[in-house]
Amino acid sequence: MKIAVIGTGIVGSLIAREFTKYKVEVEMFEKLPDVGWGVTKANSGILHAGYDDEPHTLRAKYCARGNEMYTTLSKELDFKIKRVGSLVVAFNDKEVKTIEELLERGRKNGVKDLKILSKIEALEVEPNLSREIIAALYSPNAGVIAPWEVAQAAVENALDNGAKLHLSTEVESILEENGKYRLNTSNGIFSFDVVVNAAGLWADELAESAGVKVTPLHPRRGQYILLDRSDLVKTVLFPTPSKAGKGTLVIPTVHDTTLLGPTSEDLTPSEKNSTETTVEGLSEVIKKAQKLVPMVNLSKAIRTFAGLRPENDIKDFVIKREKNMIHIVATRSPGLTAAPALAKDVVEDLAEKLNLRTNGEFRPKRKAIPRIADMNERDKEKLINQDPSYGRIVCRCNKVTEGEIVEAIRRGARTLDGIKFRTTAMFGRCQGSFCTVKIMNIMRRELGNDFEDIVKNLPKSNIVDGVVR
Amino acid sequence: MNEKVVEMTCVVCPIGCDLKVTLDENGKFLSVTGNKCPKGAIYAKEEVTDPKRILPTSVKVIGGELPLVSVRTEKPIPKRLIFDAMKVIKSIHVNAPVKRGQVIIRNILNTKVNVIATRTVKENRKSP
Amino acid sequence: MKKLSYDVVILGGGAAGMGAIKGVLSQNASVLLIEREPSTGGVLNQCIHNGFGLQVFKKELTGPEYHEMYLETVEPFDAMYETTVLDVNFENSVLKAINAAGIYEIKYGALVLTTGARERPFEALRIPGSRPSGIFTAGLAQHFVNLENHLPGRRAVIIGSGDIGLIMARRLTLEGVEVEGVYEIMPYQGGLTRNVVQCLKDFNIPLHLSTSVVKIHGRERLEGVTVANFSDGNPVSGTERFVKCDTLVASVGLIPENDLVDKNIETSNDGGAVVDELMRTSVDNVFAAGNNVCIHDLVDFVTIEGETAGKNAARVAKGQKIPKREGFFKKGKGIRVLSVHYTTATVPFKMYVRVEHPMNMAMLKMNDTKLKVVLNAKPSEMIEIMLDPTKYNLKGEIVISATEVKK
């Protein structure tokens, strides 16, 4: 039985891994040069507790359960989670009413340990919070992750369990032919028994190519500002949500930086690549973040970026099955949190219907790239003894070693961003101005590349152009 | 007399003295003020007749631990010759090892000025 | 874990660190240099332009020459290269370092911080648009061209008129890269006038003051930038224009590098380590010199400061008493940067200051005492003032100010 999974974001990668638990041949298709570079790369990275979602939605069905599943998943796949907790803060009586409703809804959705804190209690949890708040909804279960790390980990684990990965391969259309599915791709034609469409922003168009009608998607843009490492906030801070969404947050990231954002800008369906930041968007982020935390200091900004989320008019996930073809569309917020539960349900449901046999040789564990900066001294010494390159710090801001960069290349990084998103090198305050050349020299040595062939991310994003002499 | 005063910044050293140079009606140098050292006076006179600059750049090295050796003209050369000098410098290479001060090009463009290496480049022992 | 012990440990082997080594050795103390790179010299290695050495060697040299010639004046010393300091325990005077041979615990009698500066990255400016390749700090572009033998692109725009940006405008032009222009958001240049003359005017490269980049274009490689005129820090609407380029070189400021120590030693609001004229920080056996104290114009002064720091660090490490702080300096009106914040009021010393904004004729004062008049004072050019405790009262609070005066 041959199964195609289209898209290697958080949803596609977890589905592909889930399928490797059965005796099937899994092939993953990704149109970008690396995994998790679409919607997954640029979002808030939050594991939501699950109080936001109206009961009877797919969001409510999967959010709290997905959140819980991340604990086991992070142990199996060895990625970092910080259970930092969250506060939804209220600035007036109307907002207090809303957070009380959220508390109630949370209870209905099976969210544990929610409580409303007084102003003083909230300020004890979060001393830099605005003094203007009057109450807050606290959830200790909210967490932060680096979403792309989960996609990388899931894909690595799927590959380890026998799956195949086609990078830079865009699936242009799906055609049903004699009970099989033909994928027309930018790298030729493939045939499969089962197809899962997890193509993120393009999932609606791909479903349409297969003759399946789904609610159309449009991108909702979120702009962010990343601040340097600090202890500005300890928990994820939300304003009281409105119709426009969960609002602009202040987030302590898994890498100890602080992330401000996102905005919520509905773009047209033709703007699925519009990840530009704008003056208005960035000013809005600053204004709203400073309302929550007046101490937010923009001189600590190290980068701005924008991401797109797949949004539809019904504001819920759509999982549509047509024979052996499944389309997963509009995995909007809390898609990241929901993904493990959604992936499990989709795969188990299909496995049952197709009578798939379980794979007794499935290995659930994947080890992360060793990270010298997070080790105690004894482990550091041990690793350096085995491989001295783990003693050579390349990225000074995030203390990333040569050994880590070589390992990232061994695991498939072929671009500077590939290394950045696997190791956090170039992710720090200098944004690569000190370490880019060193990393390019390591790539040249390991891959035999010329400097001219090394790119930032996409094919034409070369760094240098020609030689001096 | 139609004397003219030209203001300029001396570039001989990073102090960058603000100079006032007096010229006669034909643009010929008469006098200078504002310079903190005698080099400034020479600079001012040259600047209004035939400006000169040190040219720092680099030359390709064969078999070195670095691909390039930094070089400069030992003395300032006429500014008008800078791009011609670059053409000559771009066309040559040196073999490692290179010593600091080593003459890389003698008497470039008949200026009586040599181009010298400004650093040491050892041989690359790793690769053949 | 390997354990080592030295009288003085020096962090960073650039222009200040080399001076510090020399200073320590002059006092017959033991010294260890810890350096991230495989050799000494720091940024001097890539600064192949001339403009170095006039104070120390009385000759105009390039960066590599200055590095090698200065090193030849320093006696042999112990050094650990390709080594990074992980943390410093100031209470016990011991630090941890890492390299390919393992982890080291190194005890010091005194520590000298000569960690230099880092460039403010373009990304920190929060300029909207896309995020393509082709955007470099000036130092990174310089590294590619001068050490790696690679060109950053074919048509460049330079944002910010700091010295490295001006130097790179010339360097790229000489190598056949078209430099479209230099855009400076302030109404005055960021670098030395000398560099505006010999790097821009000599090559007819326009310097656009009160103008900056407001948008980045290009999805893969940079395709161009939108620039606009600025007034009081804000873009003037209607003045936007598109400039085609594949390379953007940012020379938008240097930040003193005190990441490792800024929670433990006093730093000023621009991030520099606060020192007295002996180059001692707020921790008695920790000294600092060079661009991690304040951003300097001239490398020579950096080295000289390093020598002072090294010498006094060695004295402290050997148990000699050095005088305590008696006076403290405050930035008064018209002053942006002070190189020294405290004084022991025992020896004459030089202080460097930067003015807040350009002045045709600036009167520098210490409290009410007139120090000197400076013509054409610019923030980009440091002003040197000599302070002699036998001439001035240097005890207590001393406010340094600069005001515009008429002839």
Side-chain angles (χ1 to χ4, degrees):
Chain A
M1 173 102 23
K2 286 184 74 179
I3 296 174
V5 179
I6 304 162
T8 62
I10 192 79
V11 176
S13 65
L14 287 173
I15 285 177
R17 175 184 184 253
E18 211 59 39
F19 270 125
T20 60
K21 293 178 178 172
Y22 299 90
K23 291 208 159 159
V24 290
E25 290 171 55
V26 181
E27 298 192 24
M28 297 174 270
F29 289 84
E30 172 56 58
K31 74 169 183 172
L32 291 168
D34 209 337
V35 301
W37 274 9
V39 177
T40 298
K41 191 171 86 166
N43 66 70
S44 307
I46 291 169
L47 300 184
H48 294 283
Y51 46 75
D52 263 304
D53 309 302
E54 301 82 357
H56 314 300
T57 58
L58 286 177
R59 290 183 285 128
K61 180 177 172 190
Y62 289 124
C63 185
R65 219 178 104 211
N67 183 324
E68 241 180 271
M69 284 175 72
Y70 266 104
T71 303
T72 313
L73 198 61
S74 81
K75 283 180 194 140
E76 287 180 348
L77 296 180
D78 198 14
F79 59 84
K80 247 194 232 175
I81 296 190
K82 283 193 187 165
R83 294 281 177 188
V84 291
S86 67
L87 287 172
V88 183
V89 302
F91 285 90
N92 55 48
D93 293 341
K94 203 178 144 206
E95 290 185 351
V96 172
K97 249 188 114 160
T98 310
I99 64 170
E100 282 166 352
E101 283 164 25
L102 290 180
L103 175 77
E104 206 38 52
R105 193 187 289 166
R107 286 182 180 151
K108 276 188 198 145
N109 289 351
V111 183
K112 293 171 203 153
D113 310 321
L114 284 175
K115 60 179 169 187
I116 296 215
L117 303 185
S118 69
K119 174 179 179 171
I120 292 168
E121 288 170 327
L123 285 167
E124 261 167 34
V125 174
E126 201 56 80
N128 292 332
L129 197 55
S130 166
R131 296 286 184 273
E132 309 283 313
I133 67 138
I134 57 174
L137 174 67
Y138 179 62
S139 163
N141 301 322
V144 289
I145 57 171
W148 57 88
E149 287 179 7
V150 184
Q152 288 158 6
V155 168
E156 279 179 24
N157 188 235
L159 292 174
D160 188 39
N161 283 303
K164 274 190 195 160
L165 172 63
H166 304 268
L167 289 173
S168 302
T169 305
E170 181 174 359
V171 178
E172 286 148 0
S173 61
I174 306 167
L175 283 176
E176 198 189 333
E177 264 179 3
N178 313 321
K180 294 210 174 213
Y181 298 98
R182 193 173 94 171
L183 301 191
N184 295 315
T185 82
S186 56
N187 275 329
I189 293 166
F190 297 82
S191 178
F192 289 92
D193 304 301
V194 177
V195 173
V196 179
N197 165 14
L201 287 161
W202 283 269
D204 59 338
E205 292 170 41
L206 205 54
E208 193 133 324
S209 80
V212 177
K213 270 253 167 268
V214 293
T215 324
L217 292 176
H218 68 269
R220 179 174 277 184
R221 184 164 62 194
Q223 303 189 35
Y224 294 90
I225 300 173
L226 184 65
L227 305 184
D228 203 356
R229 263 200 307 274
S230 75
D231 38 25
L232 185 67
V233 294
K234 299 189 196 63
T235 53
V236 181
L237 302 180
F238 294 83
T240 300
S242 68
K243 278 191 191 122
K246 295 187 178 78
T248 300
L249 330 178
V250 179
I251 306 158
T253 72
V254 80
H255 301 123
D256 302 326
T257 49
T258 306
L259 186 62
L260 314 177
T263 53
S264 180
E265 306 158 56
D266 287 311
L267 306 184
T268 65
S270 64
E271 294 174 295
K272 289 180 178 175
N273 283 318
S274 296
T275 54
E276 295 89 3
T277 54
T278 63
V279 181
E280 299 76 21
L282 296 175
S283 325
E284 185 190 323
V285 168
I286 295 168
K287 204 177 118 204
K288 291 186 170 169
Q290 285 178 336
K291 190 182 173 200
L292 292 173
V293 180
M295 271 176 68
V296 161
N297 177 357
L298 273 303
S299 74
K300 296 276 180 204
I302 52 180
R303 187 173 190 78
T304 62
F305 62 93
L308 303 170
R309 339 197 273 261
E311 188 61 81
N312 62 6
D313 290 341
I314 57 167
K315 298 190 187 303
D316 199 9
F317 313 151
V318 172
I319 302 173
K320 198 151 189 176
R321 179 156 174 249
E322 285 270 336
K323 295 182 198 162
N324 292 341
M325 183 165 64
I326 299 184
H327 303 277
I328 300 161
V329 190
T331 39
R332 66 190 296 283
S333 179
L336 175 66
T337 316
L342 190 150
K344 193 163 189 281
D345 269 18
V346 164
V347 174
E348 281 180 357
D349 181 48
L350 208 73
E352 198 190 309
K353 290 198 171 83
L354 298 171
N355 265 323
L356 298 183
R357 280 188 299 144
T358 54
N359 172 12
E361 282 153 34
F362 175 72
R363 288 179 298 270
K365 292 220 165 190
R366 167 262 185 190
K367 285 303 284 173
I369 296 174
R371 188 154 164 66
I372 279 282
D374 293 343
M375 290 181 190
N376 63 34
E377 257 133 48
R378 185 178 301 191
D379 289 347
K380 280 189 180 113
E381 288 236 282
K382 214 173 120 190
L383 185 56
I384 296 168
N385 253 332
Q386 283 166 15
D387 182 348
S389 68
Y390 281 94
R392 280 193 285 271
I393 304 261
V394 173
C395 162
R396 59 172 77 172
C397 304
N398 289 336
K399 305 275 186 290
V400 180
T401 64
E402 183 181 324
E404 291 159 57
I405 288 159
V406 171
E407 181 60 18
I409 294 170
R410 205 188 61 74
R411 294 186 188 205
R414 292 293 178 273
T415 61
L416 286 175
D417 273 4
I419 288 171
K420 173 175 165 176
F421 284 95
R422 281 178 180 80
T423 65
T424 76
M426 303 174 278
F427 228 133
R429 65 185 55 168
C430 93
Q431 289 288 299
S433 61
F434 282 117
C435 62
T436 299
V437 175
K438 285 183 183 167
I439 291 168
M440 286 172 71
N441 274 307
I442 296 169
M443 290 172 82
R444 173 158 66 183
R445 186 189 71 203
E446 297 295 315
L447 297 166
N449 279 345
D450 279 338
F451 261 30
E452 283 84 349
D453 301 332
I454 296 174
V455 295
K456 179 175 186 276
N457 41 37
L458 301 175
K460 285 177 197 145
S461 64
N462 58 306
I463 308 298
V464 296
D465 189 1
V467 293
V468 178
R469 297 280 178 271
Chain B
M1 287 287 278
N2 283 320
E3 284 183 3
K4 241 190 1 186
V5 177
V6 184
E7 290 188 17
M8 61 175 74
T9 302
C10 177
V11 303
V12 173
C13 86
I15 291 168
C17 294
D18 294 313
L19 308 179
K20 283 198 166 96
V21 187
T22 312
L23 311 173
D24 70 11
E25 67 262 46
N26 301 318
K28 253 190 90 179
F29 175 84
L30 290 175
S31 65
V32 59
T33 58
N35 53 312
K36 291 188 183 122
C37 82
K39 284 180 194 158
I42 301 168
Y43 170 80
K45 193 172 173 186
E46 277 179 0
E47 198 63 12
V48 293
T49 48
D50 189 10
K52 290 192 170 75
R53 297 288 185 264
I54 296 255
L55 173 61
T57 181
S58 48
V59 164
K60 190 176 176 70
V61 183
I62 307 290
E65 55 176 6
L66 289 172
L68 299 171
V69 59
S70 51
V71 301
R72 66 172 167 91
T73 55
E74 222 168 348
K75 289 180 216 147
I77 60 167
K79 201 167 97 178
R80 62 192 153 79
L81 293 178
I82 279 179
F83 282 99
D84 290 334
M86 280 303 294
K87 267 188 210 151
V88 177
I89 291 168
K90 283 179 187 180
S91 71
I92 63 144
H93 66 262
V94 287
N95 293 310
V98 184
K99 268 197 196 155
R100 186 185 82 242
Q102 182 179 324
V103 175
I104 304 293
I105 301 169
R106 202 167 289 284
N107 185 21
I108 190 165
L109 303 170
N110 294 316
T111 53
K112 299 198 175 75
V113 176
N114 297 331
V115 174
I116 57 165
T118 59
R119 67 167 293 158
T120 304
V121 178
K122 291 184 200 148
E123 278 175 279
N124 186 2
R125 296 207 190 93
K126 279 182 235 158
S127 59
Chain C
M1 189 149 49
K2 300 156 195 76
K3 295 194 175 186
L4 299 169
S5 178
Y6 282 87
D7 288 334
V8 180
V9 174
I10 295 169
L11 307 188
M18 292 194 301
I21 297 168
K22 196 171 178 176
V24 176
L25 294 176
S26 76
Q27 304 297 303
N28 291 315
S30 67
V31 64
L32 171 71
L33 168 70
I34 302 180
E35 167 58 48
R36 285 195 254 242
E37 298 298 319
S39 71
T40 51
V43 80
L44 287 167
N45 290 310
Q46 66 184 63
C47 293
I48 67 166
H49 54 279
N50 47 305
F52 304 88
L54 276 150
Q55 306 288 321
V56 171
F57 293 104
K58 311 290 172 218
K59 293 188 219 192
E60 194 180 25
L61 303 168
T62 61
E65 288 171 294
Y66 182 91
H67 167 218
E68 287 189 12
M69 284 170 69
Y70 189 81
L71 207 56
E72 284 164 9
T73 72
V74 182
E75 300 291 317
F77 55 91
D78 284 359
M80 289 167 66
Y81 294 107
E82 294 183 273
T83 303
T84 300
V85 175
L86 294 173
D87 60 75
V88 184
N89 180 333
F90 288 89
E91 249 166 58
N92 302 329
S93 299
V94 58
L95 60 84
K96 290 213 177 80
I98 183 172
N99 66 23
I103 309 286
Y104 294 80
E105 191 178 87
I106 304 166
K107 181 117 188 80
Y108 59 81
L111 185 66
V112 183
L113 308 169
T114 45
T115 42
R118 61 192 168 85
E119 295 176 282
R120 184 186 307 283
F122 175 80
E123 291 78 2
L125 302 180
R126 309 196 309 276
I127 292 172
S130 55
R131 296 167 294 288
S133 72
I135 299 173
F136 304 82
T137 59
L140 178 57
Q142 190 178 46
H143 192 142
F144 273 121
V145 174
N146 292 345
L147 295 176
E148 299 295 331
N149 193 22
H150 281 280
L151 293 173
R154 301 292 168 181
R155 184 175 155 93
V157 157
I158 300 194
I159 174 172
S161 59
D163 283 311
I164 324 172
L166 301 176
I167 297 283
M168 282 314 291
R170 172 178 64 181
R171 186 78 195 102
L172 292 173
T173 304
L174 287 176
E175 297 306 340
V177 177
E178 186 189 348
V179 177
E180 194 275 340
V182 178
Y183 294 84
E184 169 59 58
I185 193 166
M186 300 303 286
Y188 48 86
Q189 77 215 32
L192 301 173
T193 305
R194 158 192 159 94
N195 286 332
V196 174
V197 173
Q198 62 177 3
C199 298
L200 302 187
K201 286 194 182 146
D202 276 5
F203 298 95
N204 299 316
I205 300 167
L207 169 60
H208 305 273
L209 296 174
S210 301
T211 313
S212 197
V213 174
V214 293
K215 193 172 178 189
I216 299 296
H217 304 267
R219 187 165 138 78
E220 304 192 24
R221 175 81 191 195
L222 182 69
E223 287 165 14
V225 295
T226 302
V227 299
N229 299 353
F230 275 70
S231 171
D232 298 324
N234 294 309
V236 179
S237 90
T239 64
E240 298 87 358
R241 54 219 185 256
F242 180 78
V243 180
K244 194 170 166 334
C245 60
D246 63 8
T247 302
L248 181 63
V249 175
S251 179
V252 290
L254 295 171
I255 303 165
E257 178 73 279
N258 287 306
D259 187 21
L260 195 61
V261 299
D262 59 8
K263 288 197 174 65
N264 303 85
I265 66 164
E266 185 185 355
T267 52
S268 66
N269 54 3
D270 40 84
V274 164
V275 293
D276 56 34
E277 84 279 18
L278 308 175
M279 307 314 290
R280 173 178 47 186
T281 68
S282 57
V283 178
D284 275 343
N285 65 340
V286 178
F287 292 74
N291 279 352
N292 48 308
V293 169
C294 76
I295 305 303
H296 289 63
D297 297 344
L298 294 190
V299 76
D300 300 62
F301 297 146
V302 165
T303 306
I304 294 164
E305 256 182 39
E307 289 173 2
T308 305
K311 199 172 122 194
N312 289 312
R315 287 168 65 198
V316 167
K318 300 204 114 191
Q320 291 176 34
K321 276 246 175 310
I322 63 172
K324 62 181 196 339
R325 294 166 166 187
E326 295 287 352
F328 64 98
F329 297 99
K330 267 179 80 172
K331 281 186 255 181
K333 221 180 133 204
I335 297 289
R336 180 180 292 179
V337 175
L338 296 177
S339 67
V340 168
H341 287 78
Y342 292 95
T343 173
T344 62
T346 54
V347 286
F349 64 96
K350 277 181 197 163
M351 178 196 279
Y352 302 103
V353 305
R354 286 184 197 278
V355 291
E356 188 66 52
H357 52 85
M359 298 181 202
N360 291 327
M361 201 188 263
M363 166 66 77
L364 271 92
K365 280 190 187 166
M366 187 180 83
N367 293 337
D368 291 329
T369 314
K370 290 176 185 169
L371 290 173
K372 70 197 281 189
V373 171
V374 181
L375 294 176
N376 263 329
K378 303 177 189 80
S380 60
E381 299 184 359
M382 275 184 154
I383 299 165
E384 181 183 309
I385 47 185
M386 270 306 290
L387 294 172
D388 184 342
T390 61
K391 275 214 246 135
Y392 304 112
N393 175 17
L394 295 180
K395 295 188 176 177
E397 180 183 290
I398 304 154
V399 178
I400 307 282
S401 64
T403 42
E404 178 88 69
V405 285
K406 296 217 167 81
K407 284 182 194 178

